[in-house]
Amino acid sequence: MNVTETLSQGLKREFQVVLNAADLKTRLDDGLQGLQGKAKINGFRPGKVPVGHLRRLYGRSVMADVVQNAVNEANQKIVADHGLKLAFEPQIKFPENKDEIEAAMEAKGDLAFTVALEVLPKIELADLSDVALTKPVAEVPDADVDAALERMAGSNRSFSNKGEKAKAEKGDRLMISFVGTLEGKPFDGGTGEGIALDVGAGQFIPGFEEQLEGAAAGETRTVKVTFPENYTAEHLAGKPAEFEVTVTEVQAPEPVTIDDELAKAFGLESLDALKTAIREQIGRDFATQSRRKLKKSLLDALDGKYTFELPPTLVEQEFASVWSQVEADMKDAKKSFEDEGTTEDAARGDYRKIAERRVRLGLVLAEIGEQAKVQISDDEVTQALVERARQFPGQEKQVWEFYRKNPQALAEIRAPIFEEKVVDHLLGQIKVEDQTVSREALYADEDAEGSAEAKPKKAAAKKAKKADKAEDAAGEDASA
């Protein structure tokens, strides 16, 4: 096998591989001889089928295996001889001349093909001795715990009938039935019976609840509203509708009592235990947000330390992923780039920078992790997979089997585990100081320029930094 490098341009490489006809014939004969002892053909005793007969029956099939093995061998040789790290699987190109291919398949001519590669850049790790980070930390305010208690009590409160002539006020609960029409015709999903509506809670279409204030039991009102432009049902979005609403009962909220009985309603033995649980939950959410901000600061520092050529295909794939999300968000919001004060070309440029940043930081973290010998245990992957399966109640088994049978999907489970362990490694190498901040400061600047794992969430494309929101952003705390 003769391998010749024909292109070395940036991170792109191409090699010409030639396997001469004599070598092809030897490999074909070896394959047929191996088949001779296994083939069962009528009229021949086991192991006695002539090689010539096997060649007529299975020659092309065996030669196909020979060619595939030759391609694999060439790829391995190229990577090993040149010390390359591949960004993607090699692209193989065979001659377009059919006669040339036929000659090779019959071992009467040389087999020549091209191997095109895109390699990862060599990354020299930067000195981080001058990096010092601040980790924002916040104490859980008593007011947050109290507010959470109030909401929990409110969600668990009882309502009682106000009486036949009582009129609905904000905070009351109405039992209603309704029939909705578009241009005088009923529409799917526009009717309801025995529906509970809390006046002022914003549960229904904007303007719906307000028109029922002052209604009494037994009263029927015509409620006129317009569905929001971004309404989930596209056939209703932006359209005016009328609802004939009958109020069957007006209920007033009972006073809220925050005591041990409330705690027991939520499975805890006392009010103190409930307060402790709420404080711990908010504290965990604060810690998650604190970690996210510290990680972003770390990635920003890394981004400023590295400049190197990026694999074009990696960038294109990352940009395609980002841009598809942007377009989907813009469509859902029914907005154009002009609505956001920009143009599609400008937005593409901003989002391409995001894609480049994500690829660059991803490669840096991978190199740091490799040199630090960061390992992921099977138990860690299993636990992460269990957590993923739990996100699909009733389908846990199917989700589990899907990931176990798809290495690429399983790699998506491993990747964030690896990244977090690399981040932990880096944070152990640099100076980190805690800085006490308020809750508001901790959650401020949520739209700041994101990190390697960032994923655009906003429909707007005013600035890249306003769209690159971290995938691992903390969930809302118990008081949110």
Side-chain angles (χ1 to χ4, degrees):
M1 180 180 292
N2 183 29
V3 180
T4 304
E5 185 172 19
T6 57
L7 174 68
S8 178
Q9 185 178 57
L11 299 177
K12 293 184 177 181
R13 305 284 190 277
E14 282 191 8
F15 296 85
Q16 181 73 16
V17 181
V18 178
L19 194 63
N20 62 47
D23 196 355
L24 281 173
K25 184 176 185 306
T26 298
R27 295 181 182 221
L28 175 61
D29 290 343
D30 289 344
L32 291 171
Q33 288 174 5
L35 184 62
Q36 189 177 34
K38 303 175 184 177
K40 295 181 180 180
I41 300 177
N42 292 336
F44 296 95
R45 287 181 296 168
K48 299 298 183 180
V49 182
V51 172
H53 188 59
L54 289 174
R55 186 190 299 271
R56 286 190 294 273
L57 293 177
Y58 304 114
R60 292 190 72 85
S61 175
V62 173
M63 182 57 84
D65 290 338
V66 168
V67 171
Q68 184 59 59
N69 291 336
V71 168
N72 295 340
E73 181 183 329
N75 291 342
Q76 294 170 6
K77 178 178 175 58
I78 290 169
V79 170
D81 289 354
H82 295 80
L84 303 177
K85 290 184 179 180
L86 303 186
F88 294 97
E89 287 296 311
Q91 300 297 308
I92 310 301
K93 184 177 181 180
F94 290 100
E96 296 181 359
N97 188 309
K98 293 183 179 180
D99 292 338
E100 188 176 342
I101 292 294
E102 282 299 317
M105 292 298 291
E106 295 179 8
K108 295 180 180 178
D110 297 345
L111 173 66
F113 57 90
T114 299
V115 179
L117 307 173
E118 194 168 299
V119 301
L120 296 176
K122 292 183 178 179
I123 302 174
E124 296 292 333
L125 296 189
D127 179 14
L128 302 180
S129 61
D130 61 337
V131 175
L133 303 178
T134 298
K135 179 182 179 180
V137 295
E139 296 294 328
V140 178
D142 291 340
D144 280 20
V145 176
D146 293 340
L149 277 172
E150 290 286 347
R151 278 191 300 276
M152 295 173 75
S155 68
N156 200 50
R157 78 187 335 163
S158 300
F159 288 79
S160 59
N161 195 318
K162 290 183 70 171
E164 292 184 6
K165 296 182 179 181
K167 295 184 177 182
E169 302 174 302
K170 283 186 178 180
D172 288 346
R173 174 170 292 176
L174 307 184
M175 301 303 297
I176 62 173
S177 298
F178 57 83
V179 176
T181 57
L182 289 176
E183 298 180 348
K185 297 180 180 179
F187 58 90
D188 290 342
T191 60
E193 294 282 344
I195 305 299
L197 180 151
D198 293 344
V199 181
Q203 300 167 306
F204 280 53
I205 304 167
F208 191 102
E209 296 169 14
E210 291 84 345
Q211 296 179 58
L212 294 178
E213 289 184 33
E219 184 177 344
T220 297
R221 289 189 176 186
T222 299
V223 174
K224 298 181 179 182
V225 294
T226 299
F227 285 96
E229 291 290 341
N230 60 349
Y231 196 67
T232 51
E234 292 188 5
H235 68 290
L236 301 177
K239 294 184 178 180
E242 291 188 1
F243 290 85
E244 289 297 311
V245 183
T246 299
V247 178
T248 57
E249 186 177 355
V250 179
Q251 301 175 350
E254 297 286 351
V256 170
T257 303
I258 298 176
D259 55 13
D260 289 346
E261 291 304 313
L262 173 65
K264 290 175 182 178
F266 286 94
L268 295 170
E269 69 277 7
S270 68
L271 179 58
D272 286 342
L274 179 57
K275 288 182 177 180
T276 298
I278 292 172
R279 188 177 296 277
E280 290 176 349
Q281 178 59 55
I282 298 176
R284 285 192 292 271
D285 291 339
F286 279 15
T288 300
Q289 174 69 357
S290 178
R291 161 78 175 196
R292 192 193 75 77
K293 282 204 160 184
L294 176 60
K295 179 179 176 182
K296 177 191 173 300
S297 296
L298 172 64
L299 294 173
D300 286 344
L302 289 178
D303 194 36
K305 290 280 187 179
Y306 290 92
T307 302
F308 50 82
E309 184 179 3
L310 302 174
T313 306
L314 268 181
V315 173
E316 288 303 321
Q317 287 190 350
E318 192 65 40
F319 173 73
S321 175
V322 170
W323 190 250
S324 66
Q325 183 65 54
V326 170
E327 290 185 315
D329 289 345
M330 294 289 282
K331 181 178 179 181
D332 290 344
K334 298 185 183 302
K335 289 186 176 182
S336 67
F337 294 106
E338 287 72 20
D339 293 333
E340 300 300 333
T342 187
T343 65
E344 182 173 340
D345 286 344
R348 282 181 175 273
D350 288 339
Y351 285 107
R352 184 168 293 279
K353 291 177 183 177
I354 291 174
E356 291 171 351
R357 171 186 164 100
R358 290 170 65 173
V359 170
R360 180 168 55 253
L361 288 175
L363 293 176
V364 168
L365 291 175
E367 183 65 25
I368 293 172
E370 181 177 341
Q371 294 198 25
K373 300 186 181 339
V374 171
Q375 300 293 323
I376 302 172
S377 69
D378 291 340
D379 287 344
E380 288 173 316
V381 175
T382 298
Q383 183 59 40
L385 186 50
V386 168
E387 292 300 320
R388 177 63 60 87
R390 285 176 178 169
Q391 297 174 11
F392 301 88
Q395 303 178 54
E396 290 88 349
K397 184 177 180 180
Q398 295 94 314
V399 173
W400 180 274
E401 291 298 322
F402 170 77
Y403 280 99
R404 284 299 184 187
K405 293 179 180 179
N406 292 272
Q408 186 172 355
L410 194 60
E412 294 176 0
I413 295 287
R414 296 175 62 89
I417 302 174
F418 178 82
E419 180 170 302
E420 290 305 314
K421 295 185 82 168
V422 175
V423 168
D424 286 337
H425 167 76
L426 287 170
L427 292 176
Q429 308 298 310
I430 61 180
K431 183 179 180 181
V432 178
E433 290 187 352
D434 289 353
Q435 179 182 24
T436 301
V437 299
S438 66
R439 179 194 189 283
E440 291 70 25
L442 181 64
Y443 282 91
D445 302 324
E446 282 295 277
D447 292 329
E449 186 176 355
S451 58
E453 78 290 353
K455 182 178 182 180
K457 295 292 185 182
K458 299 177 72 67
K462 292 179 180 179
K463 295 291 182 182
K465 69 179 182 180
K466 288 188 177 181
D468 198 14
K469 191 170 183 180
E471 286 178 345
D472 64 342
E476 294 181 353
D477 61 46
S479 66

